[in-house]
C-alpha cells in the first residue's frame, strides 16, 4: 500500500472516530442553557433554569464536591416542577441544617454509580423482562421501566417519574431530567 493510501485510510479512521464521539457527547440544552459534555455535573447543572431547586439542595447537603468528583455518576435530576409536586413546606424543611442527613439521603437516592445512558437502561430493562433494578448511592433501589419509548423510574414507595430529557452527558457521568422527586423508604 502506498503512503498516500495509508495516510488517506488513517485520516478516514480518525475522522470517523471523531464524528462518532461527537455524536455521543453532543451538547444538549436544558433549562435554557447548554450542557457541555466537557464540564462536570455541577458545572452544568448550575446553569439550568429548570434545576435551581436541585442545585440549592445539593449545596445545602454539601454534595457539590462529590458531584464534581471523578464519578462516574448517573443522576436522575428532578426539575423544579418536580419539587413543586411535593407537599407544601417539604423543600423548605429539608433545606434546614438540622435535616441535612435526610436531605442527603433523598438526593443520593437519585444517583446511581456508573454512567448509564438511556440505551444502557433500556438494555437492562429488556434483559430484566420489562424492569431493571438500579442500586442507588443512598443504598436503596429504583426500578426502571418503559412505556412505549418513554423511560420511567419508580421509587421504593411506588411513585414514578418520567425521564423528560435523557442522555445529558457530562465529563463525570450522565444526567437524566425527571418530572417527579423519587423518595427512598424512610
Amino acid at each position: 500500500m502506498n503512503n498516500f493510501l495509508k495516510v488517506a485510510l488513517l485520516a478516514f479512521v480518525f475522522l470517523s472516530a471523531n464524528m462518532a464521539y461527537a455524536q455521543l457527547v453532543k451538547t444538549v440544552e436544558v433549562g435554557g442553557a447548554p450542557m457541555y459534555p466537557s464540564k462536570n455535573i455541577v458545572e452544568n447543572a448550575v446553569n439550568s433554569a429548570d434545576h435551581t431547586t436541585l442545585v440549592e439542595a445539593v449545596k445545602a447537603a454539601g454534595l457539590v464536591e462529590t458531584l464534581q468528583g471523578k464519578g462516574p455518576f448517573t443522576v436522575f435530576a428532578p426539575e423544579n416542577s418536580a419539587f413543586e409536586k411535593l407537599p407544601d413546606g417539604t423543600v423548605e424543611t429539608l433545606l434546614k441544617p438540622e435535616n441535612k442527613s435526610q436531605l442527603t439521603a433523598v438526593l443520593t437516592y437519585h444517583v446511581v454509580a456508573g454512567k448509564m445512558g438511556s440505551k444502557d437502561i433500556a438494555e437492562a430493562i429488556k434483559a430484566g423482562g420489562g424492569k431493571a433494578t438500579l442500586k442507588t448511592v443512598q443504598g436503596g433501589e429504583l426500578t426502571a421501566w418503559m412505556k412505549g419509548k418513554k423511560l420511567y423510574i419508580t421509587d421504593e414507595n411506588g411513585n414514578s417519574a418520567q425521564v423528560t430529557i435523557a442522555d445529558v452527558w457530562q465529563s463525570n457521568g450522565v444526567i437524566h431530567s425527571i418530572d417527579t422527586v423519587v423518595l427512598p423508604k424512610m
Side-chain angles (χ1 to χ4, degrees), residues 6-174:
K6 287 180 186 176
V7 170
L9 180 61
L10 283 173
F12 175 76
V13 169
F14 178 75
L15 288 173
S16 296
N18 278 342
M19 286 173 44
Y21 179 75
Q23 288 176 343
L24 175 66
V25 295
K26 66 183 176 182
T27 300
V28 176
E29 190 169 300
V30 178
M35 301 289 118
Y36 298 106
S38 60
K39 293 186 176 186
N40 67 49
I41 291 167
V42 174
E43 290 172 326
N44 276 319
V46 297
N47 295 314
S48 170
D50 292 343
H51 293 90
T52 56
T53 304
L54 177 62
V55 169
E56 181 181 2
V58 166
K59 289 176 181 176
L63 293 173
V64 170
E65 191 172 304
T66 301
L67 291 175
Q68 286 179 324
K70 185 177 177 182
F73 305 106
T74 299
V75 178
F76 293 98
E79 300 162 347
N80 292 340
S81 59
F83 285 100
E84 291 168 6
K85 292 180 183 179
L86 294 171
D88 287 345
T90 302
V91 173
E92 294 78 11
T93 299
L94 285 172
L95 291 175
K96 291 180 179 178
E98 61 268 23
N99 297 323
K100 184 177 177 181
S101 63
Q102 189 177 11
L103 176 61
T104 300
V106 169
L107 293 175
T108 56
Y109 187 68
H110 289 79
V111 180
V112 174
K115 189 183 274 192
M116 293 188 75
S118 61
K119 288 182 182 179
D120 301 314
I121 297 170
E123 288 173 10
I125 292 169
K126 185 176 180 182
K131 293 186 178 180
T133 301
L134 308 175
K135 184 82 167 171
T136 71
V137 172
Q138 177 267 352
E141 293 180 345
L142 293 170
T143 302
W145 54 283
M146 295 184 79
K147 184 175 183 180
K149 293 187 182 229
K150 294 180 180 178
L151 178 60
Y152 293 85
I153 57 170
T154 300
D155 66 21
E156 295 168 332
N157 302 297
N159 302 308
S160 295
Q162 180 182 340
V163 173
T164 57
I165 302 173
D167 300 330
V168 184
W169 300 101
Q170 316 290 297
S171 64
N172 62 343
V174 61

